[in-house]
Amino acid sequence: MAKRNIVITGGAGFIGSHVVRLFVNKYPEYNIINLDKLTYAGNLANLKDIEDKPNYKFVKMDICDFEAFYELMQREKVDGIIHLAAESHVDRSIKDPFTFARTNVMGTLSLLQAAKLYWESLPEKYRGKRFYHISTDEVYGALEMTHPEGVEPPFTTAASSSEHHLAYGTEFFYETTKYNPHSPYSASKASSDHFVRAYHDTYGMPTVVTNCSNNYGPYQFPEKLIPLFINNIRHRKPLPVYGKGENVRDWLYVVDHARAIDLIFHEGKIAETYNIGGFNEWKNIDIIRVLIRTVDRLLGNPEGYSDELITYVTDRAGHDLRYAIDSSKLQKELGWEPSLQFEEGIEKTVRWYLENQPWLDNITSGQYESYYNEMYKNK
Ligand code: NAD
Ligand code: TYD
């Protein structure tokens, strides 16, 4: 394997830390630079197991700092960028859209422009280079819960190349689906995706974009549904279900996303888009019931013990009804498949949070409380 100098932005966050870990362990000959501003969501404790590896380096930097990033590109002779740094929580974007535009749009543009200037200054220019932008399925908007006549959802489809799956609608997000973002978060991610593609089309930068469905697994910041609810069940706190809990999300185990990123970084076609998802749709309320059952079982509580914690609250503004990714292109063209069934992944995830209470306490004992709790307290 050739030596490479790769910057992974947002490597101290949830998905980024899994990508950094995978690359550092799998490619000892690569120089892996984790570039992260360490916002509330960045946590170097996520990378304790690899922080002393000789092929790993952490750089604290804001992706909006053009000068500093340009200087880093030159100093480290960077030939690959895997860009995950972002503001990522929809509820925060509703309260503070400017921060999302700054980091997600201007930050991405700043990285693109610095990479362009540096790579174009080299004799070989863009040869052997890659700018890989990690995005979300939320840019596509929301899908309906349509279903074939006489069939109640969830119903079985054969959308996946490898197996049938349960779906809550007949439509899916494809790579060709028109962008239609609704939240300030998804609008900012959509905008950054457009800039990345524009840098390919205008300047010939070797870019690739992927749009992934909801991730779950270890090291996710406990403002997102799954870690927040596991923690609340454990501490017998209310579980704030937005609306009726009928919204559908398509869940993928984070390590499977990291595996896809590795594959696409190395083998994905330049200027292509790949959707990443596990054909794994769940209504929020059903996931919540699985979480309650699993946590109660693992803690030795009687069945149904934590059901009373379910608390229906005011719906999220502009709450997208259903996300469902069709990842057949990635499966067929590059041979990727999710490695874990959801039941297995959830069991692993719940066990991880229960066994890593200090990791959670470290976060939740500080300034941070769930966004809902903060809002609730202020009422
Ligand atoms: P996260 O919020 O857990 O982590 C984001 C990381 O980016 C943090 O370490 C933070 O410190 C860093 N960061 C934020 N602003 C920065 C800045 N200005 N400069 C440098 N670093 C900064 O997010 P995540 O869930 O790991 O998501 C990572 C990426 O994957 C995002 O681009 C997100 O849009 C995308 N994505 C997430 C999901 C999901 O379900 N979590 C699904 C699809 C795509
Ligand atoms: P979240 O984890 O915030 O991811 P996203 O908004 O990017 O899909 O939320 C997942 C789903 O769970 C979403 O439909 C909103 C819902 N939700 C709740 O019902 N209560 C909560 O406290 C949170 C954080 C989310």
mmCIF file with all atom_site columns, all heavy atoms in Angstrom, residues 53 113 158 209 232 246 249 280:
data_model
loop_
_atom_site.group_PDB
_atom_site.id
_atom_site.type_symbol
_atom_site.label_atom_id
_atom_site.label_alt_id
_atom_site.label_comp_id
_atom_site.label_asym_id
_atom_site.label_entity_id
_atom_site.label_seq_id
_atom_site.pdbx_PDB_ins_code
_atom_site.Cartn_x
_atom_site.Cartn_y
_atom_site.Cartn_z
_atom_site.occupancy
_atom_site.B_iso_or_equiv
_atom_site.pdbx_formal_charge
_atom_site.auth_seq_id
_atom_site.auth_comp_id
_atom_site.auth_asym_id
_atom_site.auth_atom_id
_atom_site.pdbx_PDB_model_num
ATOM 1  N N   . LYS A 1 53  ? -0.689  5.773  18.582 1.00 0.00 ? 53  LYS A N   1
ATOM 2  C CA  . LYS A 1 53  ? -0.170  5.078  17.382 1.00 0.00 ? 53  LYS A CA  1
ATOM 3  C C   . LYS A 1 53  ? 0.705   6.043  16.585 1.00 0.00 ? 53  LYS A C   1
ATOM 4  O O   . LYS A 1 53  ? 0.371   7.227  16.455 1.00 0.00 ? 53  LYS A O   1
ATOM 5  C CB  . LYS A 1 53  ? -1.333  4.604  16.504 1.00 0.00 ? 53  LYS A CB  1
ATOM 6  C CG  . LYS A 1 53  ? -2.239  3.605  17.196 1.00 0.00 ? 53  LYS A CG  1
ATOM 7  C CD  . LYS A 1 53  ? -1.883  2.207  16.815 1.00 0.00 ? 53  LYS A CD  1
ATOM 8  C CE  . LYS A 1 53  ? -2.811  1.233  17.526 1.00 0.00 ? 53  LYS A CE  1
ATOM 9  N NZ  . LYS A 1 53  ? -2.857  -0.063 16.957 1.00 0.00 ? 53  LYS A NZ  1
ATOM 10 N N   . GLN A 1 113 ? -11.395 25.269 -1.127 1.00 0.00 ? 113 GLN A N   1
ATOM 11 C CA  . GLN A 1 113 ? -10.553 26.285 -1.754 1.00 0.00 ? 113 GLN A CA  1
ATOM 12 C C   . GLN A 1 113 ? -9.080  26.089 -1.379 1.00 0.00 ? 113 GLN A C   1
ATOM 13 O O   . GLN A 1 113 ? -8.191  26.216 -2.236 1.00 0.00 ? 113 GLN A O   1
ATOM 14 C CB  . GLN A 1 113 ? -11.054 27.681 -1.361 1.00 0.00 ? 113 GLN A CB  1
ATOM 15 C CG  . GLN A 1 113 ? -10.306 28.833 -2.006 1.00 0.00 ? 113 GLN A CG  1
ATOM 16 C CD  . GLN A 1 113 ? -10.459 28.888 -3.540 1.00 0.00 ? 113 GLN A CD  1
ATOM 17 O OE1 . GLN A 1 113 ? -11.256 28.155 -4.130 1.00 0.00 ? 113 GLN A OE1 1
ATOM 18 N NE2 . GLN A 1 113 ? -9.666  29.731 -4.178 1.00 0.00 ? 113 GLN A NE2 1
ATOM 19 N N   . ALA A 1 158 ? -38.278 -5.876 -2.162 1.00 0.00 ? 158 ALA A N   1
ATOM 20 C CA  . ALA A 1 158 ? -37.036 -6.514 -2.595 1.00 0.00 ? 158 ALA A CA  1
ATOM 21 C C   . ALA A 1 158 ? -36.061 -5.445 -3.060 1.00 0.00 ? 158 ALA A C   1
ATOM 22 O O   . ALA A 1 158 ? -35.268 -5.646 -3.948 1.00 0.00 ? 158 ALA A O   1
ATOM 23 C CB  . ALA A 1 158 ? -37.316 -7.514 -3.701 1.00 0.00 ? 158 ALA A CB  1
ATOM 24 N N   . VAL A 1 209 ? -19.017 12.171 -3.114 1.00 0.00 ? 209 VAL A N   1
ATOM 25 C CA  . VAL A 1 209 ? -19.975 12.534 -2.059 1.00 0.00 ? 209 VAL A CA  1
ATOM 26 C C   . VAL A 1 209 ? -20.771 11.290 -1.688 1.00 0.00 ? 209 VAL A C   1
ATOM 27 O O   . VAL A 1 209 ? -21.178 10.531 -2.572 1.00 0.00 ? 209 VAL A O   1
ATOM 28 C CB  . VAL A 1 209 ? -20.962 13.626 -2.560 1.00 0.00 ? 209 VAL A CB  1
ATOM 29 C CG1 . VAL A 1 209 ? -22.008 13.957 -1.489 1.00 0.00 ? 209 VAL A CG1 1
ATOM 30 C CG2 . VAL A 1 209 ? -20.221 14.891 -2.986 1.00 0.00 ? 209 VAL A CG2 1
ATOM 31 N N   . ASN A 1 232 ? -31.408 7.904  29.541 1.00 0.00 ? 232 ASN A N   1
ATOM 32 C CA  . ASN A 1 232 ? -32.588 8.275  30.329 1.00 0.00 ? 232 ASN A CA  1
ATOM 33 C C   . ASN A 1 232 ? -33.273 7.063  30.949 1.00 0.00 ? 232 ASN A C   1
ATOM 34 O O   . ASN A 1 232 ? -33.746 7.130  32.082 1.00 0.00 ? 232 ASN A O   1
ATOM 35 C CB  . ASN A 1 232 ? -33.586 9.057  29.464 1.00 0.00 ? 232 ASN A CB  1
ATOM 36 C CG  . ASN A 1 232 ? -33.135 10.500 29.252 1.00 0.00 ? 232 ASN A CG  1
ATOM 37 O OD1 . ASN A 1 232 ? -32.011 10.864 29.584 1.00 0.00 ? 232 ASN A OD1 1
ATOM 38 N ND2 . ASN A 1 232 ? -33.995 11.332 28.673 1.00 0.00 ? 232 ASN A ND2 1
ATOM 39 N N   . GLU A 1 246 ? -44.346 8.437  15.302 1.00 0.00 ? 246 GLU A N   1
ATOM 40 C CA  . GLU A 1 246 ? -44.647 7.673  14.073 1.00 0.00 ? 246 GLU A CA  1
ATOM 41 C C   . GLU A 1 246 ? -43.609 7.898  12.979 1.00 0.00 ? 246 GLU A C   1
ATOM 42 O O   . GLU A 1 246 ? -43.663 7.259  11.931 1.00 0.00 ? 246 GLU A O   1
ATOM 43 C CB  . GLU A 1 246 ? -46.011 8.115  13.514 1.00 0.00 ? 246 GLU A CB  1
ATOM 44 C CG  . GLU A 1 246 ? -47.194 7.799  14.409 1.00 0.00 ? 246 GLU A CG  1
ATOM 45 C CD  . GLU A 1 246 ? -47.581 6.345  14.351 1.00 0.00 ? 246 GLU A CD  1
ATOM 46 O OE1 . GLU A 1 246 ? -47.803 5.834  13.245 1.00 0.00 ? 246 GLU A OE1 1
ATOM 47 O OE2 . GLU A 1 246 ? -47.631 5.703  15.415 1.00 0.00 ? 246 GLU A OE2 1
ATOM 48 N N   . ARG A 1 249 ? -37.171 6.328  10.514 1.00 0.00 ? 249 ARG A N   1
ATOM 49 C CA  . ARG A 1 249 ? -35.768 6.546  10.176 1.00 0.00 ? 249 ARG A CA  1
ATOM 50 C C   . ARG A 1 249 ? -35.170 5.206  9.741  1.00 0.00 ? 249 ARG A C   1
ATOM 51 O O   . ARG A 1 249 ? -35.649 4.146  10.135 1.00 0.00 ? 249 ARG A O   1
ATOM 52 C CB  . ARG A 1 249 ? -34.976 7.098  11.379 1.00 0.00 ? 249 ARG A CB  1
ATOM 53 C CG  . ARG A 1 249 ? -35.445 8.493  11.843 1.00 0.00 ? 249 ARG A CG  1
ATOM 54 C CD  . ARG A 1 249 ? -35.085 9.541  10.811 1.00 0.00 ? 249 ARG A CD  1
ATOM 55 N NE  . ARG A 1 249 ? -35.472 10.898 11.189 1.00 0.00 ? 249 ARG A NE  1
ATOM 56 C CZ  . ARG A 1 249 ? -36.605 11.495 10.806 1.00 0.00 ? 249 ARG A CZ  1
ATOM 57 N NH1 . ARG A 1 249 ? -37.511 10.826 10.112 1.00 0.00 ? 249 ARG A NH1 1
ATOM 58 N NH2 . ARG A 1 249 ? -36.848 12.754 11.126 1.00 0.00 ? 249 ARG A NH2 1
ATOM 59 N N   . ASN A 1 280 ? -33.147 -0.545 6.550  1.00 0.00 ? 280 ASN A N   1
ATOM 60 C CA  . ASN A 1 280 ? -33.526 -0.892 7.927  1.00 0.00 ? 280 ASN A CA  1
ATOM 61 C C   . ASN A 1 280 ? -34.400 0.208  8.529  1.00 0.00 ? 280 ASN A C   1
ATOM 62 O O   . ASN A 1 280 ? -33.948 1.021  9.313  1.00 0.00 ? 280 ASN A O   1
ATOM 63 C CB  . ASN A 1 280 ? -32.236 -1.083 8.738  1.00 0.00 ? 280 ASN A CB  1
ATOM 64 C CG  . ASN A 1 280 ? -32.516 -1.457 10.164 1.00 0.00 ? 280 ASN A CG  1
ATOM 65 O OD1 . ASN A 1 280 ? -33.380 -2.280 10.457 1.00 0.00 ? 280 ASN A OD1 1
ATOM 66 N ND2 . ASN A 1 280 ? -31.809 -0.821 11.085 1.00 0.00 ? 280 ASN A ND2 1
#
